[in-house]
Amino acid sequence: MAQSGLNSTVKLLGTWGSPFALRAQVALHLKSVEYEYMEEVLNSKSDLLLESNPIYKKVPVLIHGDVSVCESLNIVQYIDESWPSDPSILPSHPSDRAFARFWAHFVDGKCFETINAVAGAKDNDVRMAMAGNLTDCLTSLEEAFQKSSKGGYLFGGENIGFLDIACGAMVGPLSVVETFSGVKFLSEDTTPGMLQWAEKFRAHEAVEPYLPTIAEFLEFAKKKFNVQ
């Protein structure tokens, strides 16, 4: 089995505005890992991308020496384990790690599905129905946040961690669907913890350099979904 040491060359294949590449960028920043970022044009995928992720053929891909790691949550865990110096990204206790992984997969399996449904809906009735599903998802995340944060502003309490990174991929897309639908999915009334969390996450020094502005996300989404 191929192996890579800490001093091996690190590359990250990503594309502008990708919420999933953001996860890898934040994790690498937290661990102070030097790496080469390689921008992909997804309608003309590079040979390197096709070779390093032949199954899904999509970003992000972390290339660490002769090892290719695919899928954003998998990449974040790989970074945490390969560069074990502080800060730790995943919680130390097994039950806390299981909790974080469960809700991270909830974000990818449920939340992003409904975000895309809201953004891509051509009919307003369909959009509002999907908006209701997204509200339900975020209400569930609010409950998870209140349990996990222990009074802090992040899922990890005072320090950014695995679940913050997983949920943080939604920050830009949520701002887009709020504009498209006219619904405030994060609000003081329904999701006060998540509302403050989003502000804290966006401003974090490991996030701010890589997260596009709301205006940039909106322009990108209009082109992607052909919305005026």
Side-chain angles (χ1 to χ4, degrees), residues 14 20 24-25 33 43 50 56 67-68 102 112 114 138 140 143 161 171 190 200 202 217:
F20 303 107
Q25 290 172 302
V33 178
N43 59 0
L50 298 176
Y56 294 113
V67 173
S68 297
F102 174 87
F112 267 106
T114 52
L138 294 172
S140 296
E143 295 174 0
V171 169
T190 59
K200 188 77 170 180
R202 182 182 287 277
F217 260 125

Side-chain angles (χ1 to χ4, degrees), residues 128-184:
M128 297 314 296
M130 293 300 100
N133 292 340
L134 181 54
T135 296
D136 291 342
C137 285
L138 294 172
T139 299
S140 296
L141 275 178
E142 174 72 16
E143 295 174 0
F145 175 82
Q146 295 297 341
K147 181 177 181 180
S148 177
S149 64
K150 299 178 175 63
Y153 290 105
L154 296 165
F155 278 95
E158 297 301 324
N159 299 312
I160 194 168
F162 182 72
L163 194 46
D164 296 293
I165 295 172
C167 293
M170 294 192 300
V171 169
L174 274 176
S175 65
V176 170
V177 294
E178 285 186 339
T179 301
F180 283 2
S181 66
V183 177
K184 296 297 291 182

Side-chain angles (χ1 to χ4, degrees), residues 18-226:
S18 167
F20 303 107
L22 172 71
R23 288 172 171 169
Q25 290 172 302
V26 172
L28 289 165
H29 187 112
L30 286 171
K31 292 292 188 174
S32 300
V33 178
E34 294 186 4
Y35 65 98
E36 178 185 359
Y37 176 78
M38 304 181 72
E39 179 77 12
E40 286 287 330
V41 179
L42 294 185
N43 59 0
S44 179
K45 299 177 182 181
S46 71
D47 290 340
L48 182 58
L49 175 59
L50 298 176
E51 291 168 3
S52 57
N53 191 0
I55 303 301
Y56 294 113
K57 303 177 177 65
K58 63 181 182 180
V59 299
V61 178
L62 183 78
I63 302 175
H64 183 202
D66 53 3
V67 173
S68 297
V69 186
C70 307
E71 298 298 295
S72 61
L73 293 177
N74 192 35
I75 290 171
V76 172
Q77 293 180 73
Y78 177 87
I79 291 168
D80 194 36
E81 293 168 358
S82 296
W83 289 272
S85 59
D86 289 337
S88 295
I89 294 176
L90 278 100
S92 59
H93 196 279
S95 64
D96 293 334
R97 292 166 80 94
F99 180 92
R101 288 188 179 112
F102 174 87
W103 286 104
H105 287 292
F106 174 82
V107 168
D108 282 4
K110 292 289 186 181
C111 298
F112 267 106
E113 178 182 330
T114 52
I115 285 173
N116 289 332
V118 174
K122 302 301 182 183
D123 179 272
N124 191 58
D125 290 338
V126 173
R127 175 171 289 134
M128 297 314 296
M130 293 300 100
N133 292 340
L134 181 54
T135 296
D136 291 342
C137 285
L138 294 172
T139 299
S140 296
L141 275 178
E142 174 72 16
E143 295 174 0
F145 175 82
Q146 295 297 341
K147 181 177 181 180
S148 177
S149 64
K150 299 178 175 63
Y153 290 105
L154 296 165
F155 278 95
E158 297 301 324
N159 299 312
I160 194 168
F162 182 72
L163 194 46
D164 296 293
I165 295 172
C167 293
M170 294 192 300
V171 169
L174 274 176
S175 65
V176 170
V177 294
E178 285 186 339
T179 301
F180 283 2
S181 66
V183 177
K184 296 297 291 182
F185 293 105
L186 297 181
S187 71
E188 193 64 45
D189 293 334
T190 59
T191 54
M194 289 292 292
L195 178 64
Q196 293 187 49
W197 164 83
E199 295 173 355
K200 188 77 170 180
F201 180 84
R202 182 182 287 277
H204 195 281
E205 59 89 18
V207 176
E208 193 274 335
Y210 314 106
L211 186 65
T213 66
I214 293 175
E216 289 171 333
F217 260 125
L218 186 58
E219 187 62 28
F220 176 79
K222 285 180 177 179
K223 293 178 181 178
K224 178 179 179 180
F225 294 103
N226 194 27

